[in-house]
Amino acid sequence: MELSVEKLREQIRAGNFAPVYLLYGEESYLRNLAAQTIAQRAFSKDDLQDLNFAEYNLTETNLGSVLLAAEQAPMFSTRRVIFVNSVKIGASSSGDTIAESDLELLDSYLSNPPETTILIFICDELNANRKASKLLLAKATCIRFDAPDQKEIHRRIESRFNELSVTAEKAAIEVLINRTAQDLRRAMNETEKLALYLGVNNKLSVDVVESLVSDVSEVSNFELSRHLIEGNRAKAVAVTKKLLADGVEPILLIGSLFYSFRRLALVAEMLAEGFNPESAIKAAGLRYFEKDTYFGAAKNIGTTKLRFILRRLAEADIAIKSSGFGQSGSRLEFEMAIIEISAACTSQTP
């Protein structure tokens, strides 16, 4: 059964809990926060939480052992709560953490779960076409966590600063959101660091954010775009791997690259049509130090390949947004796009 995030909040406040939850979607911060909130609210003050909460990682423990633990009765508590982390059901079985051999056991549990256990599957990757995914989606209470918009991120950051007795300027929060590339997890992590730096009853200004928080979006836009535009394939691939390892979402990097290559394509088109360089600089909004790089790249890459690059970025964007690749699938799609784009930029056949 699919449940909205708002409906989940209502049920948690009312103390109504499902026996099995599936938490999935691209927004990992809210997904994990929901699991923690369920665990906190599920126990009463008289329950011995330490004896009745367990957390398993499917990369270390097989699902059969987890389900066996979930069947156990609580001790000195009304219920048990179990987190099942690292649930991965991809397009192929190679990276799955739920094996085909576990499906019969999983089906049996989901068909008759014990009333005294809340089992929470925290899913990193979910391909809806796979049997295990269909089983969970059909029989668990499912909540999908999509990436929040900027307004929601702002609200959460402001609320957290208030909790920590820090007065944050609205402009400072906006700068923080932009510097963390609208990634809620990164933004909340930086919020905690900034509050610790400032201490209680202090004010957060734009200057403090700019001096202490690295600009993720600028790094992705400048370094990765620059290496691609300059035709430095090895460095482009290395930066791609670093950014992905640092947790930057592929969809954000695609938007950043699309912006850079759209400007480059504009320069190439205008120069090809005979416009003077100053008009191209103004139209593309180039900064003084970008002129030589963009003009050289426009000449070397050419309008035909730039159209291919923009089309490939658009295809990757649509594929990641619409296909439910999951985290590893999205990264693979982005890396493949980068390889093809870098080949185009270095005059190789993409």
Side-chain angles (χ1 to χ4, degrees), residues 94-123:
S94 59
D96 285 0
T97 53
I98 295 182
E100 290 281 340
S101 57
D102 290 328
L103 294 187
E104 186 176 346
L105 193 61
L106 177 62
D107 190 12
S108 176
Y109 183 92
L110 294 175
S111 298
N112 187 29
E115 295 180 359
T116 54
T117 295
I118 298 175
L119 185 63
I120 305 175
F121 290 90
I122 304 171
C123 191

Coordinates of all heavy atoms in Angstrom, one line a residue, residues 94-123:
S94 N 22.8 -8.5 -10.1 CA 24.3 -8.5 -9.8 C 24.5 -7.8 -8.4 O 25.3 -8.2 -7.6 CB 25.1 -7.9 -10.9 OG 24.7 -6.6 -11.2
G95 N 23.8 -6.7 -8.2 CA 24.0 -5.9 -7.0 C 23.0 -6.1 -5.9 O 22.9 -5.3 -4.9
D96 N 22.0 -7.0 -6.1 CA 20.9 -7.2 -5.2 C 21.4 -7.6 -3.8 O 22.3 -8.4 -3.7 CB 19.9 -8.2 -5.8 CG 19.1 -7.7 -6.9 OD1 19.3 -6.5 -7.3 OD2 18.3 -8.4 -7.4
T97 N 20.7 -7.1 -2.8 CA 20.9 -7.6 -1.5 C 19.8 -8.4 -1.0 O 19.8 -8.9 0.2 CB 21.2 -6.4 -0.5 OG1 20.1 -5.5 -0.6 CG2 22.5 -5.7 -0.8
I98 N 18.7 -8.6 -1.8 CA 17.7 -9.6 -1.5 C 17.8 -10.6 -2.6 O 17.5 -10.3 -3.8 CB 16.3 -8.9 -1.5 CG1 16.2 -7.9 -0.3 CG2 15.2 -10.0 -1.4 CD1 14.8 -7.3 -0.2
A99 N 18.1 -11.8 -2.2 CA 18.3 -12.9 -3.2 C 17.0 -13.5 -3.7 O 16.0 -13.5 -2.9 CB 19.2 -14.0 -2.6
E100 N 17.0 -14.1 -4.9 CA 15.8 -14.7 -5.4 C 15.4 -15.9 -4.4 O 14.2 -16.1 -4.3 CB 16.1 -15.3 -6.8 CG 16.3 -14.3 -7.9 CD 14.9 -13.7 -8.4 OE1 13.9 -14.4 -8.2 OE2 14.9 -12.6 -8.9
S101 N 16.4 -16.5 -3.8 CA 16.1 -17.6 -2.9 C 15.4 -17.2 -1.6 O 14.8 -18.0 -0.9 CB 17.4 -18.4 -2.6 OG 18.3 -17.5 -2.0
D102 N 15.4 -15.9 -1.4 CA 14.8 -15.4 -0.1 C 13.3 -15.0 -0.4 O 12.6 -14.6 0.6 CB 15.5 -14.2 0.4 CG 16.9 -14.5 1.0 OD1 17.0 -15.6 1.5 OD2 17.8 -13.7 0.9
L103 N 12.9 -15.0 -1.6 CA 11.5 -14.4 -1.9 C 10.4 -15.2 -1.3 O 9.4 -14.6 -0.9 CB 11.4 -14.3 -3.5 CG 12.3 -13.3 -4.2 CD1 11.9 -13.2 -5.6 CD2 12.3 -11.9 -3.5
E104 N 10.5 -16.5 -1.3 CA 9.4 -17.3 -0.7 C 9.3 -17.0 0.8 O 8.2 -16.8 1.3 CB 9.7 -18.8 -0.9 CG 8.5 -19.7 -0.5 CD 8.8 -21.1 -0.8 OE1 9.7 -21.4 -1.6 OE2 8.0 -22.0 -0.2
L105 N 10.4 -16.9 1.5 CA 10.5 -16.6 2.9 C 9.9 -15.2 3.1 O 9.1 -14.9 4.1 CB 11.9 -16.7 3.4 CG 12.1 -16.7 4.9 CD1 11.4 -17.8 5.6 CD2 13.6 -16.7 5.2
L106 N 10.3 -14.2 2.3 CA 9.8 -12.8 2.4 C 8.3 -12.8 2.2 O 7.6 -12.1 2.9 CB 10.5 -11.9 1.4 CG 10.1 -10.5 1.3 CD1 10.3 -9.8 2.7 CD2 10.8 -9.7 0.2
D107 N 7.8 -13.5 1.2 CA 6.4 -13.5 0.9 C 5.6 -14.0 2.1 O 4.6 -13.5 2.5 CB 6.1 -14.3 -0.4 CG 4.7 -14.2 -0.9 OD1 4.0 -13.3 -0.4 OD2 4.3 -15.0 -1.7
S108 N 6.1 -15.1 2.7 CA 5.5 -15.7 3.8 C 5.4 -14.7 5.0 O 4.4 -14.6 5.6 CB 6.2 -17.0 4.2 OG 5.7 -17.5 5.4
Y109 N 6.5 -14.0 5.2 CA 6.5 -13.0 6.3 C 5.5 -11.9 6.1 O 4.8 -11.5 6.9 CB 7.9 -12.5 6.5 CG 8.0 -11.5 7.7 CD1 8.3 -12.0 9.0 CD2 7.7 -10.2 7.6 CE1 8.4 -11.1 10.1 CE2 7.7 -9.3 8.7 CZ 8.1 -9.8 9.9 OH 8.1 -8.9 11.0
L110 N 5.6 -11.3 4.8 CA 4.7 -10.2 4.5 C 3.2 -10.6 4.5 O 2.4 -9.7 4.8 CB 5.1 -9.7 3.1 CG 6.5 -9.0 3.0 CD1 6.8 -8.6 1.5 CD2 6.6 -7.8 3.9
S111 N 2.9 -11.8 4.3 CA 1.5 -12.3 4.3 C 1.0 -12.4 5.7 O -0.3 -12.2 5.9 CB 1.4 -13.6 3.5 OG 1.8 -13.5 2.2
N112 N 1.8 -12.6 6.6 CA 1.3 -12.7 8.0 C 2.4 -12.2 9.0 O 3.0 -12.9 9.8 CB 1.0 -14.2 8.3 CG 0.4 -14.4 9.7 OD1 -0.3 -13.5 10.2 ND2 0.6 -15.5 10.3
P113 N 2.7 -10.9 9.0 CA 3.7 -10.3 9.9 C 3.2 -10.3 11.3 O 2.0 -10.1 11.6 CB 3.9 -8.9 9.3 CG 2.6 -8.6 8.8 CD 2.0 -9.8 8.2
P114 N 4.1 -10.5 12.3 CA 3.7 -10.5 13.7 C 3.3 -9.1 14.1 O 3.9 -8.1 13.6 CB 5.0 -10.9 14.4 CG 6.1 -10.7 13.4 CD 5.5 -10.9 12.1
E115 N 2.3 -8.9 14.9 CA 1.8 -7.6 15.3 C 2.7 -6.9 16.3 O 2.6 -5.7 16.4 CB 0.4 -7.8 16.0 CG -0.7 -8.4 15.0 CD -2.0 -8.5 15.7 OE1 -2.1 -8.3 17.0 OE2 -3.0 -9.0 15.1
T116 N 3.7 -7.6 16.8 CA 4.5 -7.0 17.8 C 5.9 -6.5 17.3 O 6.7 -6.1 18.0 CB 4.8 -8.0 19.0 OG1 5.3 -9.2 18.4 CG2 3.5 -8.3 19.8
T117 N 6.0 -6.6 16.0 CA 7.3 -6.1 15.3 C 6.9 -5.1 14.2 O 6.0 -5.2 13.5 CB 8.0 -7.3 14.7 OG1 8.5 -8.2 15.7 CG2 9.3 -6.8 13.9
I118 N 7.7 -4.0 14.2 CA 7.7 -3.0 13.1 C 9.0 -3.2 12.3 O 10.1 -3.0 12.8 CB 7.6 -1.6 13.6 CG1 6.3 -1.4 14.4 CG2 7.6 -0.6 12.4 CD1 6.2 0.0 15.0
L119 N 8.9 -3.8 11.1 CA 10.0 -4.0 10.3 C 10.1 -3.0 9.2 O 9.1 -2.8 8.5 CB 9.8 -5.4 9.6 CG 11.0 -6.0 8.8 CD1 12.2 -6.2 9.7 CD2 10.6 -7.3 8.1
I120 N 11.2 -2.3 9.1 CA 11.4 -1.1 8.2 C 12.5 -1.4 7.2 O 13.7 -1.5 7.6 CB 11.7 0.2 9.0 CG1 10.6 0.4 10.1 CG2 11.8 1.4 8.0 CD1 10.9 1.6 11.0
F121 N 12.1 -1.6 6.0 CA 13.0 -1.7 4.9 C 13.4 -0.4 4.4 O 12.6 0.4 3.9 CB 12.4 -2.6 3.7 CG 12.2 -4.0 4.1 CD1 11.0 -4.5 4.6 CD2 13.2 -4.9 3.8 CE1 10.8 -5.8 4.9 CE2 13.1 -6.3 4.1 CZ 11.8 -6.7 4.7
I122 N 14.7 0.0 4.5 CA 15.2 1.3 4.0 C 16.0 1.0 2.7 O 17.1 0.5 2.7 CB 16.1 1.9 5.1 CG1 15.4 2.1 6.4 CG2 16.6 3.3 4.6 CD1 16.2 2.5 7.6
C123 N 15.4 1.5 1.6 CA 15.8 1.0 0.3 C 16.6 2.0 -0.4 O 16.2 3.2 -0.6 CB 14.5 0.7 -0.5 SG 14.9 -0.2 -2.0

